[in-house]
Amino acid sequence: PPRGPPELLKVLAEMGHSDRLVISDGNFPAESMGKDAIVIRCDGHGVPEILDAILQVFPLDSYVEHDGIDKLD
């Protein structure tokens, strides 16, 4: 993406069905996602900014009812 580390593009390109992507702030315990979790830090960028950058190169399916984005209100 225009913002963020190049490793993020690599991970996005390698993602397949049923893979999950968590975009969180610095307080999320990312290592708790499991020993095989890939953690990419995007220090200095907020969650909305990172999500916007990802969606520029990784469009969501338009034919599904649920877009796969779970938001906390």
Side-chain angles (χ1 to χ4, degrees), residues 46-58:
V47 170
E49 183 181 6
I50 295 298
L51 179 58
D52 287 342
I54 288 171
L55 291 176
Q56 289 179 24
V57 296
F58 197 84

Side-chain angles (χ1 to χ4, degrees), residues 6-67:
E7 305 98 293
L8 185 54
L9 282 176
K10 180 180 183 300
V11 168
L12 291 172
E14 293 173 346
M15 285 182 71
H17 294 287
S18 77
D19 285 345
R20 289 183 260 169
L21 176 67
V22 175
I23 304 169
S24 67
D25 66 12
N27 295 315
F28 180 77
E31 285 74 16
S32 72
M33 296 300 296
K35 65 179 171 78
D36 295 327
I38 299 169
V39 177
I40 300 172
R41 297 187 57 93
C42 297
D43 295 338
H45 302 287
V47 170
E49 183 181 6
I50 295 298
L51 179 58
D52 287 342
I54 288 171
L55 291 176
Q56 289 179 24
V57 296
F58 197 84
L60 300 177
D61 291 333
S62 60
Y63 59 87
V64 294
E65 185 175 321
H66 185 270
D67 63 10

